[in-house]
Amino acid sequence: MAKLIILVALIFLAWYLRNRFISTPKPERKRLVTGWLLWATVAAVVAMALTGRLHWIGGLLALSVPFLRQFGLWFMQRKLNQMDQSQPNQPQTDTQIDRQQALQILNLSGEPNRDDIVQAHRKLMQKNHPDQGGSDYLAAMLNQAKDLLLEELDDAN
């Protein structure tokens, strides 16, 4: 009976994970699967420690690896930010763009309203933000284009 309950639970879990994977946008699927693998590893280590197949100290060490990795990534990012601030040789985005270039950067045309500008900026920034693997330069150009177009709207009103 217990095996049947476990089998039904596994089938339901597989069905749920499949539907969740299909409904997730393609750019986010890698992060979703990575999270699932992390939780599966944690569950396996806990199960092995509880059943006596793994010493509890080994289980604690295994569970600490993801946290140490995350701390290491955070520490490296902090060091890189300090290095960026101390190096004045970084490329500047002081290049001024005109209205037409701003419209092209945000994939807009005509006379967009405030909502169109903000929505286009948000959509592109989600794809090109430096925290999501995009470049600082692209993010700066998107911000500059949005600021220019919104400033023109405010001046016109």
Side-chain angles (χ1 to χ4, degrees), residues 45 49 54-64:
V45 168
L54 180 68
H55 195 276
W56 67 271
I57 294 176
L60 287 177
L61 287 174
L63 291 176
S64 68

Side-chain angles (χ1 to χ4, degrees), residues 111-125:
E111 296 293 325
N113 61 24
R114 177 175 290 280
D115 291 335
D116 293 337
I117 296 168
V118 171
Q119 187 176 13
H121 175 266
R122 182 177 294 128
K123 181 180 175 184
L124 290 168
M125 190 58 89

Side-chain angles (χ1 to χ4, degrees), residues 78-157:
R78 189 170 166 208
K79 284 293 184 187
L80 287 173
N81 287 342
Q82 288 175 353
M83 288 174 51
D84 286 347
Q85 291 173 357
S86 66
Q87 293 179 355
N89 297 341
Q90 294 294 322
Q92 298 294 322
T93 57
D94 292 338
T95 57
Q96 294 297 321
I97 59 173
D98 62 6
R99 184 181 197 299
Q100 190 60 32
Q101 290 171 326
L103 290 171
Q104 286 177 346
I105 289 170
L106 293 176
N107 292 329
L108 295 171
S109 61
E111 296 293 325
N113 61 24
R114 177 175 290 280
D115 291 335
D116 293 337
I117 296 168
V118 171
Q119 187 176 13
H121 175 266
R122 182 177 294 128
K123 181 180 175 184
L124 290 168
M125 190 58 89
Q126 287 175 346
K127 295 178 184 176
N128 297 299
H129 195 276
D131 291 345
Q132 300 295 328
S135 72
D136 292 331
Y137 178 77
L138 286 175
M141 293 303 288
L142 289 169
N143 287 333
Q144 188 177 1
K146 179 191 81 162
D147 293 343
L148 176 82
L149 294 174
L150 290 177
E151 186 176 308
E152 284 184 1
L153 276 178
D154 291 340
D155 290 345
N157 294 332

Side-chain angles (χ1 to χ4, degrees), residues 25-91:
K26 285 188 179 184
E28 297 176 19
R29 286 182 179 173
K30 181 178 179 184
R31 194 165 76 188
L32 180 70
V33 171
T34 303
W36 288 347
L37 290 175
L38 175 66
W39 282 110
T41 303
V42 167
V45 168
V46 168
M48 288 171 54
L50 291 176
T51 59
R53 294 189 174 114
L54 180 68
H55 195 276
W56 67 271
I57 294 176
L60 287 177
L61 287 174
L63 291 176
S64 68
V65 170
F67 297 106
L68 292 174
R69 180 182 176 272
Q70 190 65 31
F71 176 74
L73 292 174
W74 171 80
F75 184 74
M76 287 175 52
Q77 184 66 34
R78 189 170 166 208
K79 284 293 184 187
L80 287 173
N81 287 342
Q82 288 175 353
M83 288 174 51
D84 286 347
Q85 291 173 357
S86 66
Q87 293 179 355
N89 297 341
Q90 294 294 322

